[in-house]
Amino acid sequence: MTQHNNAEHARTNEVIDCYFIEGVHYHKQDLLRARMRFASDATGQVSADSHSANLDAVVESLCSYQFTSADSNSCTSALELHDNQREPYYTFQFVGVLIVHDYVFYVFPKCVQPNYYIDDTSFITPSKESRDFMRLTIAVCEHYRTRTASGTDDTSFSTRSSSNNTNTAELYRALLADYVHNGAYRSRTRIWAYNGNGEIDWGRTLNQVSPYFTAQGAPLYADYWTRDRAVDEEALVRRIQLAWVAYAAQQFESAELLEDVLGFPHTLCSVSQETPTDIGTSHFLRAALIRARNREFSTRNRSLINMLLLLVDSDEQQRLNSQHAITHLGTAPFHTVWEGICRALFSNTDLGVMREQSKPKWHMDETIDGTDIETAAEHNQLIPDVVYTVTDPAGTVIIDAKYYMPEIASGKITGQPGTYDVVKEYFYQLIADIVLHDNGPVVANTFMFPARYSIGNTTLESACVIQGSVRFDALGHYELRHRDDGASDSKGRFLPIICARLNPLSAFQAYADSNASKNFDRDRILNELIQYSEN
């Protein structure tokens, strides 16, 4: 009861009642807690009955909102319904922030420990500390997206196509980031006018205008060229930009995203007293922006105008579509991000040769003309995430990123990877031992899991902890043999697969922040893995 009261007190001034955790079972009524308080009734509480229809539409939108993996064509829904139980429940398959009308869902990675419970259901208590960790999580997702995606601008947001599926939250963030880094729109476009009112361009005038000469031989120019900026159009684009910046900042501020999660100053909310609709209709704004873009040569300015055009178009589209259009900050599935983190922190060996050598090759006899056909599989997933070559002792370390959370409950281990994953790990060692033999034998083979993380924990924890290992007893004593120099046989053995837990806080920081990466002691972690294998 004390924990419940403390949590209630901590949430008194929060916009959202609870934050959620990826993969946790939630019932539909639990999702009501994501509704913003200023949208509640006069009592300050959200009524489940009065908003049940609204919630149904929100849940339906979340279940149909899908993400495509960067390395495959598979899709992941933001929210998944499980109806094979007596009482249906939902799980978030997404990590980050989902914004649906007046609902804001903060969804933390499954490695984050809950610190608030309602009816045996797990949540995260809203606080500045939890929003700070969400800020780091979103930065990790953004860093992963920029490393794996192509066609992005300096804002890390693609402005090369205008799709009806434009993610407004990402677009808002890109607009705010551009303004913070580059300031208000300033055009370098010059315009020339014949006998205009601007400053005389003497170089152009001398080259293109024929003078009259006085009796003393002095030239007189009755006509001249002037130059000036496109002041009126520039001022209009700047007004549009500032109106959208203020509007976007206010939207983020209302959901407590602006400062803690995105790291933008509150002053952005007041850079303009206008809204985009105060300046003109969507048709007027679009026409003005296109005219300005046609005269622009600055890459930054063209990118900014493209973002403003996307905002004008997406705003119009959202008015035509459902009021439950979704925007997000983050990604799904998060296991691909975890794999990207482990690759960035540990990998130093090109896997190209290993990828080719581990492809199965098919050989079949052609029955028509007697010729043989041999082909290799086009796609090969039988390679580990990380192979690191060490020099002392000489050899290779294999690391396979696994976004699992093994637990010990009632004397049993649950939540671990399946048998197929263990078999693959043995295959990785076998292939690496053959293909990368010049680098030395495999000296450690590892499953790298995320460790449990408690928000607000100030205890200095190890960056990596070895929790155990997994092996096939039948293969533990099996000797690997291969030719070293063509004359003698060298022998190796299958190693137990280490189960290690990587601290998500230190891993996230090292991945998203180049300064923090300098403090990430990779060599120490690798040495601990090698020493464990030797024992």
Side-chain angles (χ1 to χ4, degrees):
M1 181 63 71
T2 302
Q3 182 184 12
H4 179 80
N5 291 337
N6 290 340
E8 288 289 349
H9 178 72
R11 294 187 292 107
T12 302
N13 297 318
E14 301 289 345
V15 172
I16 306 298
D17 272 355
C18 296
Y19 297 160
F20 299 84
I21 303 173
E22 173 198 18
V24 170
H25 297 183
Y26 295 108
H27 299 295
K28 182 179 291 185
Q29 296 305 105
D30 294 326
L31 303 180
L32 270 173
R33 300 182 181 278
R35 197 163 190 264
M36 290 187 282
R37 287 179 182 272
F38 64 73
S40 60
D41 57 28
T43 65
Q45 301 296 321
V46 177
S47 170
D49 294 334
S50 62
H51 298 295
S52 59
N54 186 26
L55 178 63
D56 288 341
V58 170
V59 170
E60 182 180 355
S61 298
L62 287 171
C63 288
S64 60
Y65 195 65
Q66 295 189 329
F67 299 83
T68 302
S69 299
D71 56 352
S72 70
N73 294 323
S74 61
C75 293
T76 303
S77 299
L79 187 70
E80 184 175 349
L81 169 64
H82 303 266
D83 57 2
N84 57 345
Q85 302 290 326
R86 227 175 356 179
E87 186 176 3
Y89 64 89
Y90 297 85
T91 58
F92 284 98
Q93 309 299 311
F94 165 90
V95 169
V97 179
L98 291 158
I99 305 169
V100 197
H101 193 42
D102 51 357
Y103 286 76
V104 180
F105 298 89
Y106 284 75
V107 185
F108 286 78
K110 63 183 179 183
C111 58
V112 177
Q113 290 184 316
N115 56 10
Y116 180 42
Y117 300 86
I118 305 173
D119 298 329
D120 297 325
T121 305
S122 303
F123 298 91
I124 299 293
T125 302
S127 65
K128 184 180 185 305
E129 290 76 16
S130 57
R131 287 191 292 274
D132 285 343
F133 188 81
M134 178 56 70
R135 176 183 178 181
L136 176 60
T137 302
I138 290 176
V140 165
C141 294
E142 174 66 14
H143 191 66
Y144 173 79
R145 187 170 69 87
T146 56
R147 287 175 68 105
T148 58
S150 59
T152 55
D153 298 302
D154 292 339
T155 59
S156 297
F157 186 88
S158 178
T159 61
R160 300 186 182 184
S161 62
S162 179
S163 168
N164 290 341
N165 296 323
T166 298
N167 179 17
T168 308
E170 289 283 0
L171 189 50
Y172 282 171
R173 182 177 61 169
L175 182 69
L176 297 184
D178 173 83
Y179 179 76
V180 169
H181 295 148
N182 301 309
Y185 175 82
R186 288 289 186 274
S187 177
R188 297 179 181 178
T189 302
R190 299 284 187 178
I191 58 174
W192 284 267
Y194 196 63
N195 293 332
N197 296 321
E199 180 183 355
I200 296 177
D201 187 333
W202 284 110
R204 194 180 185 92
T205 299
L206 293 173
N207 288 330
Q208 299 186 18
V209 177
S210 299
Y212 297 97
F213 292 93
T214 64
Q216 290 77 23
L220 292 176
Y221 289 88
D223 300 298
Y224 50 86
W225 283 95
T226 61
R227 64 184 179 191
D228 204 347
R229 291 180 180 270
V231 178
D232 294 339
E233 204 71 79
E234 176 184 329
L236 179 57
V237 173
R238 187 159 56 248
R239 282 179 61 199
I240 297 172
Q241 176 204 13
L242 296 181
W244 273 112
V245 166
Y247 180 80
Q250 291 161 12
Q251 299 306 303
F252 283 138
E253 176 67 15
S254 67
E256 295 185 330
L257 293 168
L258 184 66
E259 295 179 272
D260 293 343
V261 176
L262 298 177
F264 293 126
H266 183 268
T267 52
L268 294 179
C269 296
S270 56
V271 297
S272 174
Q273 301 302 313
E274 296 180 300
T275 65
T277 54
D278 291 335
I279 300 174
T281 64
S282 297
H283 179 75
F284 172 80
L285 297 179
R286 181 173 179 78
L289 291 170
I290 290 177
R291 286 197 305 270
R293 185 178 63 179
N294 290 339
R295 292 196 302 268
E296 271 294 351
F297 295 96
S298 165
T299 301
R300 180 262 170 166
N301 284 353
R302 289 182 65 87
S303 176
L304 171 60
I305 293 173
N306 284 339
M307 282 193 287
L308 295 174
L309 283 168
L310 285 174
L311 281 170
V312 171
D313 291 341
S314 63
D315 180 61
E316 188 70 21
Q317 188 68 30
Q318 285 188 26
R319 293 179 186 178
L320 297 175
N321 289 343
S322 165
Q323 62 175 335
H324 299 295
I326 300 176
T327 60
H328 72 269
L329 297 164
T331 193
F334 195 73
H335 74 82
T336 60
V337 179
W338 181 249
E339 292 166 3
I341 291 172
C342 290
R343 277 193 293 267
L345 296 182
F346 293 103
S347 184
N348 77 339
T349 303
D350 183 21
L351 299 180
V353 176
M354 189 172 175
R355 181 182 289 107
E356 290 299 319
Q357 292 293 319
S358 61
K359 285 182 179 181
K361 290 186 177 181
W362 289 86
H363 178 95
M364 302 188 76
D365 296 331
E366 176 60 57
T367 58
I368 297 177
D369 57 7
T371 59
D372 297 337
I373 295 191
E374 185 173 276
T375 183
E378 293 184 6
H379 303 289
N380 176 28
Q381 301 300 323
L382 290 175
I383 55 170
D385 296 308
V386 174
V387 172
Y388 192 93
T389 302
V390 294
T391 56
D392 186 20
T396 57
V397 176
I398 296 174
I399 296 178
D400 213 31
K402 291 296 182 185
Y403 192 56
Y404 288 77
M405 302 299 300
E407 301 288 350
I408 299 176
S410 302
K412 294 183 179 180
I413 301 175
T414 61
Q416 71 271 37
T419 302
Y420 176 66
D421 293 296
V422 180
V423 172
K424 284 199 302 181
E425 209 66 23
Y426 272 86
F427 178 78
Y428 295 158
Q429 181 186 346
L430 180 62
I431 292 294
D433 217 46
I434 297 171
V435 176
L436 304 177
H437 179 60
D438 289 343
N439 297 331
V442 175
V443 292
N445 196 354
T446 308
F447 282 147
M448 189 65 76
F449 305 111
R452 284 287 184 187
Y453 176 71
S454 178
I455 291 177
N457 183 9
T458 58
T459 304
L460 185 62
E461 298 182 354
S462 175
C464 185
V465 174
I466 297 175
Q467 192 172 24
S469 63
V470 58
R471 67 184 183 277
F472 283 113
D473 285 338
L475 294 178
H477 304 287
Y478 188 85
E479 292 184 345
L480 304 175
R481 302 171 184 269
H482 47 75
R483 291 286 182 181
D484 185 15
D485 56 5
S488 61
D489 286 338
S490 60
K491 299 178 181 180
R493 62 185 178 87
F494 282 112
L495 302 175
I497 302 164
I498 300 170
C499 297
R501 291 186 181 272
L502 190 61
N503 186 315
L505 178 62
S506 59
F508 285 11
Q509 290 173 336
Y511 180 71
D513 186 349
S514 58
N515 292 324
S517 65
K518 300 174 184 177
N519 299 322
F520 185 79
D521 198 345
R522 177 182 60 188
D523 293 337
R524 178 181 177 182
I525 294 173
L526 293 171
N527 287 333
E528 289 176 353
L529 297 177
I530 295 172
Q531 291 175 10
Y532 186 91
S533 293
E534 290 175 345
N535 297 331

